[in-house]
Amino acid sequence: MSKRIVITGAGAGLGRALARGFAADGHDVVLLGRTLSKVEAVAAEIGDRALALGCDVASPDSIRAAFAKIAARHQAIDVLINNAAIYAPFTIASATDEQIFGGITTNLIGPMLCSRSAIPMMTNGGQIINVSSESVALPFPHLSVYRAGKAGLEMFSDALQLEVEGAGISVTCVRAGSMHEEGKQWDIDRDAAMAFHSASVEAGLDLRNRPMSHTQSPVDIFRAIIGLPADLRIGTIALHARKQV
């Protein structure tokens, strides 16, 4: 049965791969992204099953406006995937206000606000999937704000399940590993990148030798989650890249 799936951060990376995969399966996808041109390009590629909307998940007003437009197109939402995130290494001592507030707002408060708007549009069988990070469990340096936001997202997922279970809505948290995508550039200055790499090596994490998966690789996992029988749900699962031999 076709589902109506809302994906934040759908203009690139995992969000784009999920949008392509779900649309190919016959689902209707709503692509939310801070840069409208990016999600519009993905929607144009997908065709009529896709709706692209500009949405900054750090802005309550932007989220309200986006979900009002979703409601004008779809009577209900079956799945919300909170995928949008800011990933940038920096130390707290050197951090700007924007880096701290932007990281926590996008990575933690954004999923809260999107969930708040989506829940009233969901019925029995609805699903919320929050995308976390393996960095929650690993000693990555210079990622204190990112790790705190993702750890909070996992706690939020557990607590939200208690709130929505009576309405037949399930909440899943996917702790994702490192992923790459052809042509995607990391928007970070050279000094910050070098400092992050050096500090990671000192912490025992050699980034150059750590395995990475492709953004397309987890799509089947998300397919499995939204295709679960009605009497099953998944709480938190962890995905890890592995070295190819």
Side-chain angles (χ1 to χ4, degrees), residues 7-12 31-40 52-59 62-63 66 83-88 98-99 101-107 114 187:
I7 306 169
T8 70
L31 317 181
L32 302 185
R34 185 167 50 183
T35 304
L36 178 58
S37 60
K38 289 185 178 180
V39 288
E40 284 181 331
L53 297 173
C55 180
D56 181 358
V57 300
S59 166
S62 182
I63 291 171
N83 168 72
I86 292 177
Y87 177 85
E98 182 180 1
Q99 285 176 316
F101 279 92
I104 294 297
T105 304
T106 298
N107 299 347
C114 288
D187 186 18

Side-chain angles (χ1 to χ4, degrees), residues 75-118:
Q75 291 185 342
I77 293 171
D78 297 300
V79 182
L80 167 67
I81 301 177
N82 285 310
N83 168 72
I86 292 177
Y87 177 85
F90 51 82
T91 63
I92 286 295
S94 66
T96 64
D97 293 346
E98 182 180 1
Q99 285 176 316
I100 294 174
F101 279 92
I104 294 297
T105 304
T106 298
N107 299 347
L108 176 56
I109 298 177
M112 293 179 175
L113 296 174
C114 288
S115 297
R116 181 179 67 177
S117 290

